[in-house]
Amino acid sequence: MMERFGTDIAKAREALMRGGLVAIPTETVYGLAANALDADAVLSIFEAKERPAFDPLIVHIGSMAQLNDLVSSFPERAQQLATAFWPGPLTLVLPKKPVVPDLVTSGLPKVGVRMPSHPLAQKLLQSLPFPLAAPSANPFGYISPTTARHVADQLGDRVDYILDGGPCEIGLESTIVSFAGDEVHVLRLGGLAVSEIEALIGRVQISASSSGNPVAPGMLVSHYAPRKPLLLGDIDYLTNKFMGRNFSVLAFSDLKSFEGCVLSPSADIHEAARNLFATLRQLDADGSSFIIAETVPEIGLGRAINDRLKRAAVPDVFES
Ligand code: TXA
Ligand code: MG
């Protein structure tokens, strides 16, 4: 049997050329990849993830030439963003050409495109004659994987190969940006801070709210969630309220005397982002029956970290 886990780009390439599924490392999270231009291959992504067909996929490219094949227009400000932040943790939602299967975009007229910076992902993409559709490589609704092991634990028997590129550098999914006339909308907060986008193109609208119509299902309230309940709020207050109960604590930088984990002992927001999903998985698997967590400072990537924590949290228990 073929070894399913490793660093062999030729094996990954061969499986993708056959229409197979390969988990790929990116700087944000691991993706579950297939030929974006082959509707059958794309369908197998939805099946493996048990993902509803209304949730569109991001298409990953290795060069700007590939972008021209996929999209029919490229607004000025999208170009500025691509020039500044690609390759990197930014997805641009742009009008699609007919070559992109409707399954990829869930029937929407626009496609989300991203050029990842991870060296293995780049090498793989540049070796292929087609771009790769890839959602995060987790079962639908669960926490995104930031190591190859996370992928193997949950989807190991459903992929042809897992390309191991080590732990993800950023640890949060890409920031998704869409364009409508003069307006720029951030559909999902992510690994590129909004402040960096605004420094380049001026004020943008944050449409990444959890209410109303989910333009991007990554915006669904219950998403990125552990299996056990997570209570988000002030940890002194919550631990006091649940004294004597079997919980673990997820703290930003200081665990005090509680049992649990910190995201960054030095209070570094990038380190906290990098550790967030692996730490949530660890707490989900420990012996506790629920998790008490606090938000992190709302600066830089802190906004996206808090967005994920709120979506992971039990609704209506949010207290701060
Ligand atoms: O960092 C990332 O973006 C990772 C890595 C693997 O690239 N991918 C990722 O994919 O997070 P996924 O499928 O888990 O989340 C993609 C989100 C979905 O919520 C989807 O609804 C939204 O992007 N999206 C994709 N195409 C879209 C479109 N045409 N219009 C609006 N939203 C779109
Ligand atoms: Mg996802």
Side-chain angles (χ1 to χ4, degrees):
M1 196 185 116
M2 178 163 117
E3 177 54 70
R4 294 226 212 157
F5 195 110
T7 55
D8 189 340
I9 289 189
K11 273 185 185 162
R13 178 178 189 280
E14 189 231 333
L16 291 164
M17 293 290 287
R18 280 190 285 105
L21 277 184
V22 172
I24 60 165
T26 84
E27 68 280 18
T28 59
V29 300
Y30 275 72
L32 186 61
N35 179 352
L37 306 183
D38 174 350
D40 285 338
V42 170
L43 184 60
S44 61
I45 297 177
F46 284 89
E47 288 169 347
K49 273 196 68 137
E50 297 177 27
R51 179 179 177 110
F54 63 74
D55 194 359
L57 306 179
I58 293 172
V59 175
H60 297 70
I61 56 172
S63 69
M64 288 309 279
Q66 268 183 322
L67 182 72
N68 293 331
D69 299 339
L70 300 173
V71 307
S72 58
S73 88
F74 194 20
E76 170 83 37
R77 272 175 297 177
Q79 292 185 36
Q80 285 177 274
L81 291 173
T83 304
F85 301 118
W86 275 359
L90 170 70
T91 294
L92 300 173
V93 177
L94 300 167
K96 82 174 188 77
K97 283 187 175 166
V99 66
V100 179
D102 286 331
L103 190 58
V104 169
T105 63
S106 303
L108 295 171
K110 293 183 179 179
V111 59
V113 185
R114 175 165 111 76
M115 190 189 290
S117 69
H118 192 290
L120 280 191
Q122 286 246 329
K123 235 173 154 173
L124 177 63
L125 283 164
Q126 282 161 16
S127 79
L128 289 165
F130 47 75
L132 293 174
S136 52
N138 51 279
F140 183 70
Y142 196 67
I143 303 159
S144 296
T146 53
T147 67
R149 175 49 54 197
H150 292 163
V151 181
D153 286 348
Q154 291 188 307
L155 298 175
D157 56 348
R158 298 182 180 200
V159 295
D160 294 300
Y161 191 65
I162 299 173
L163 189 59
D164 186 355
C168 300
E169 279 281 324
I170 293 174
L172 293 173
E173 300 85 352
S174 60
T175 301
I176 302 179
V177 179
S178 170
F179 307 84
D182 285 342
E183 294 178 357
V184 179
H185 295 268
V186 172
L187 300 183
R188 179 176 72 183
L189 298 169
L192 177 65
V194 169
S195 51
E196 292 204 53
I197 292 174
E198 291 191 325
L200 187 72
I201 60 167
R203 212 109 190 115
V204 299
Q205 312 210 25
I206 314 288
S207 309
S209 93
S210 55
S211 60
N213 228 356
V215 182
M219 297 160 64
L220 291 174
V221 180
S222 175
H223 216 77
Y224 315 105
R227 301 232 151 72
K228 57 175 76 157
L230 181 146
L231 311 188
L232 187 62
D234 181 79
I235 52 177
D236 288 315
Y237 170 78
L238 287 172
T239 51
N240 193 42
K241 180 170 167 182
F242 292 101
M243 199 172 334
R245 302 278 296 277
N246 179 25
F247 56 78
S248 288
V249 169
L250 176 60
F252 173 46
S253 59
D254 183 4
L255 198 53
K256 299 176 184 164
S257 57
F258 304 121
E259 293 274 321
C261 298
V262 289
L263 290 176
S264 169
S266 60
D268 177 293
I269 211 78
H270 287 96
E271 184 181 41
R274 195 153 57 236
N275 288 333
L276 177 67
F277 290 148
T279 308
L280 280 172
R281 278 174 186 261
Q282 190 184 326
L283 294 174
D284 206 18
D286 75 11
S288 67
S289 45
F290 62 101
I291 301 164
I292 288 177
E294 64 181 353
T295 54
V296 305
E298 276 279 307
I299 41 158
L301 294 187
R303 278 174 90 167
I305 296 174
N306 289 337
D307 171 81
R308 300 302 187 272
L309 285 169
K310 285 172 193 168
R311 289 173 208 281
V314 178
D316 300 330
V317 193
F318 180 73
E319 308 173 58
S320 71

